[in-house]
Amino acid sequence: MPVAVASIALVLHLLSVAAAAVAMDPAERETLLLVMEAVSSDRDWRSVGPDPCGAPWPGLECKPVPGGGKVSATRLHVTRLDFGVAPNPTCKDAAAFPHLAFALPHLQSLFFVNCFKNPAATTAFTLPPSANLSSSRLQQLSVRSNPSLSGTLPPQLASLRSLQVLTVSQNALVRGEVPQGIGELKNLVHLDLSYNSLTGTIPSRIGELRSLAGLDLSYNSFSGSIPNKLGDLAMLQKLDLSSNNLTGGVPATITGLTSLTFLALSNNGLSGHLPAGLSDLRDLQYLIMENNPMGVPLLSELGDISRLQELRLANSGYSGSIPETLGRLVSLTTLSLENNHLTGRIPAGLSRLKRMYHLNLSKNGLDGVVPFDGAFLRRLGRNLDLSGNPGLCVDDRSVVQVDVGVGVCRRGDISSATAEGSAATLFRRDVLLRLTGGHWSARLIRPATVALCCLLL
Ligand SMILES: *[C@@H]1O[C@H](CO)[C@@H](O)[C@H](O)[C@H]1NC(C)=O
Ligand SMILES: *[C@@H]1O[C@H](CO)[C@@H](O)[C@H](O)[C@H]1NC(C)=O
Ligand SMILES: *[C@@H]1O[C@H](CO)[C@@H](O)[C@H](O)[C@H]1NC(C)=O
């Protein structure tokens, strides 16, 4: 069919829909008005008009629902309700969580964002009985930034079988455990339960949600270990379990998450070795795992996670040396290893990483000469921190331009170079700056300055 004919047909179809539109189902209309009255005081909803779907207001979306027979095919149904943030209806001070909304038979999306926020009027997160939800068509439920919403995650959530996106986030009063029934929501693509007060263990059954692409449980109080079953989530791209009370090791099954691009496990009680096979995570770009009592050497296999852009493993009791292999991570922009017990030299390979712009190796036991050239040091500038490694020193080329937090190497005694801020360091830098005058080539003056510097000391 030629395009023109197709578009004429489409226009005619739309016209016929409009012409044949019949008023809303009266029961559905009544439910909608009760929901609006429970939540919003924007206006007198009953006076807005006889047929809300016929002249929809902000925050309300209606659609004809196909497949309902000839007559009902042209009837408009409530498919989306959106509360909280302008231009959507704002919520009244005494807003109550309207579980009646779940009785709207064709509702696909329901949002409460910044809606329940009156500290003097907490309202419980409740759902109708499971039997009432069995025919729910809800695909997206978002309950976000509601400081006065309280209660637990209702077990009836498990009955919302059409859900693809479930967000219950930033509701500090929502506590308790995640219902095991969450494993029934086989269509879920995104599950975000971050920034609540959830406790208990992470249910293994989340591993049954095989379509999941995003899982965020960060900033709760989950305890226990990371379930092995999470490794079954082969579609998962983002996994964030940061800022909980998780303990034990990182399970080896995590290497089965072959679609992962973002993995965050910071601020937990995780310990021990990262599993072998991490380099199976071929698409991993962010590995963010700070503040855990790992207490082991760094795996050299980290250097084989070839797409890594950010590697953040600070404050985690890592010992031993920095693996040379990290110099293979050509996409690396950020490397944070500060506040560990790392010893030995800084691998020279790091200086060849052209995308690097943030490198923090402060507060370790590293020693030797810093292997970075002037171009590298200038590129990183203030984003390079080597302070708090008493055994590290830089040669003269670098200090002329930037302060990297370490002293200048003394001839024959590099290990005695002092940390940033000491009087000796400042003195030597001052000498160097005056000697070089800021315009001679660093390379030319190098032997002379080193010699003069150390004589003066
Ligand atoms: C649940 O369904 C029953 C039967 O249809 C109905 O009477 C009741 O009002 C519903 N309850 C809720 C909370 O929607
Ligand atoms: C973790 O557990 C400890 C002790 O059980 C508790 O004091 C702390 O608040 C918990 N942290 C989080 C983030 O829940
Ligand atoms: C490096 O980490 C330390 C924490 O140990 C922090 O105080 C400092 O600001 C960081 N430096 C840079 C450049 O990020």
Side-chain angles (χ1 to χ4, degrees):
M1 185 159 53
V3 176
V5 178
S7 9
I8 290 168
L10 179 64
V11 168
L12 286 176
H13 172 73
L14 290 176
L15 283 175
S16 70
V17 168
V22 291
M24 286 180 72
D25 175 74
E28 190 178 344
R29 178 179 181 275
E30 181 58 23
T31 304
L32 173 66
L33 291 172
L34 289 173
V35 170
M36 299 313 289
E37 285 159 8
V39 182
S40 181
S41 57
D42 264 10
R43 51 181 115 174
D44 176 3
W45 296 102
R46 284 182 192 275
S47 71
V48 198
D51 186 19
C53 278
W57 53 63
L60 168 68
E61 185 183 87
C62 300
K63 281 183 181 162
V65 175
K70 282 244 173 332
V71 177
S72 65
T74 55
R75 177 169 261 173
L76 293 172
H77 294 280
V78 178
T79 52
R80 175 174 171 140
L81 276 176
D82 212 324
F83 292 99
V85 178
N88 300 318
T90 52
C91 302
K92 61 184 180 186
D93 257 3
F97 190 83
H99 59 81
L100 255 185
F102 294 83
L104 291 165
H106 298 281
L107 196 65
Q108 293 170 5
S109 305
L110 181 56
F111 292 80
F112 300 98
V113 178
N114 209 4
C115 176
F116 311 103
K117 52 188 179 188
N118 178 5
T122 57
T123 179
F125 186 10
T126 53
L127 293 182
S130 289
N132 295 46
L133 297 172
S134 56
S135 58
S136 163
R137 291 172 170 86
L138 199 63
Q139 294 171 10
Q140 178 161 17
L141 174 60
S142 195
V143 181
R144 189 157 54 79
S145 299
N146 298 291
S148 67
L149 185 68
S150 67
T152 58
L153 295 177
Q156 302 96 301
L157 280 173
S159 302
L160 298 170
R161 299 292 166 86
S162 301
L163 273 187
Q164 294 168 15
V165 177
L166 175 58
T167 302
V168 181
S169 174
Q170 300 171 53
N171 312 289
L173 299 183
V174 171
R175 56 185 197 281
E177 305 203 357
V178 177
Q180 286 289 337
I182 197 105
E184 304 292 332
L185 302 178
K186 307 286 189 221
N187 294 309
L188 271 191
V189 177
H190 288 283
L191 177 58
D192 178 357
L193 303 178
S194 61
Y195 292 89
N196 297 301
S197 301
L198 301 172
T199 52
T201 54
I202 296 174
S204 283
R205 291 202 61 194
I206 289 182
E208 295 172 25
L209 307 176
R210 299 301 170 83
S211 303
L212 218 53
L215 175 59
D216 188 349
L217 304 179
S218 62
Y219 292 88
N220 281 288
S221 296
F222 291 114
S223 54
S225 51
I226 300 175
N228 289 330
K229 292 280 282 177
L230 288 194
D232 293 345
L233 299 172
M235 308 286 277
L236 201 61
Q237 292 168 26
K238 176 186 168 178
L239 175 59
D240 193 344
L241 306 178
S242 323
S243 298
N244 281 291
N245 256 352
L246 300 171
T247 51
V250 177
T253 53
I254 210 140
T255 61
L257 301 176
T258 49
S259 303
L260 215 54
T261 60
F262 179 98
L263 174 60
L265 302 172
S266 295
N267 306 322
N268 278 293
L270 299 170
S271 58
H273 288 275
L274 290 170
L278 265 191
S279 57
D280 293 348
L281 305 180
R282 291 183 199 293
D283 292 326
L284 194 64
Q285 294 169 22
Y286 299 86
L287 175 52
I288 299 171
M289 204 179 157
E290 307 190 312
N291 300 321
N292 283 285
M294 300 297 281
V296 292
L298 289 170
L299 275 189
S300 61
E301 197 183 348
L302 287 169
D304 298 325
I305 309 176
S306 53
R307 298 233 162 93
L308 266 192
Q309 292 177 22
E310 283 196 23
L311 178 58
R312 299 212 248 134
L313 302 173
N315 198 24
S316 301
Y318 286 108
S319 57
S321 54
I322 301 177
E324 297 276 350
T325 53
L326 297 192
R328 296 183 203 151
L329 295 172
V330 292
S331 301
L332 206 62
T333 60
T334 296
L335 176 61
S336 302
L337 298 174
E338 69 267 21
N339 213 6
N340 283 295
H341 307 304
L342 299 169
T343 52
R345 305 294 159 100
I346 297 175
L350 293 185
S351 64
R352 291 190 293 271
L353 299 178
K354 296 280 181 289
R355 308 231 169 110
M356 183 90 84
Y357 77 96
H358 194 157
L359 175 59
N360 199 339
L361 303 178
S362 67
K363 298 188 190 160
N364 279 289
L366 301 168
D367 60 25
V369 183
V370 172
F372 304 131
D373 61 16
F376 186 92
L377 294 169
R378 275 190 295 280
R379 180 149 50 86
L380 271 73
R382 291 265 145 213
N383 293 327
L384 174 65
D385 194 342
L386 304 175
S387 62
N389 291 282
L392 274 185
C393 62
V394 288
D395 66 30
D396 59 313
R397 282 179 297 164
S398 45
V399 270
V400 175
Q401 296 285 346
V402 281
D403 175 8
V404 295
V406 302
V408 181
C409 301
R410 295 197 227 182
R411 190 171 51 178
D413 185 19
I414 49 173
S415 65
S416 69
T418 50
E420 174 185 25
S422 80
T425 311
L426 292 175
F427 174 67
R428 282 176 303 195
R429 189 166 299 130
D430 187 48
V431 169
L432 275 173
L433 287 169
R434 274 195 277 122
L435 280 171
T436 59
H439 60 270
W440 291 345
S441 145
R443 191 160 300 161
L444 279 177
I445 54 127
R446 177 181 172 193
T449 51
V450 170
L452 274 167
C453 141
C454 299
L455 276 178
L456 284 166
L457 284 173

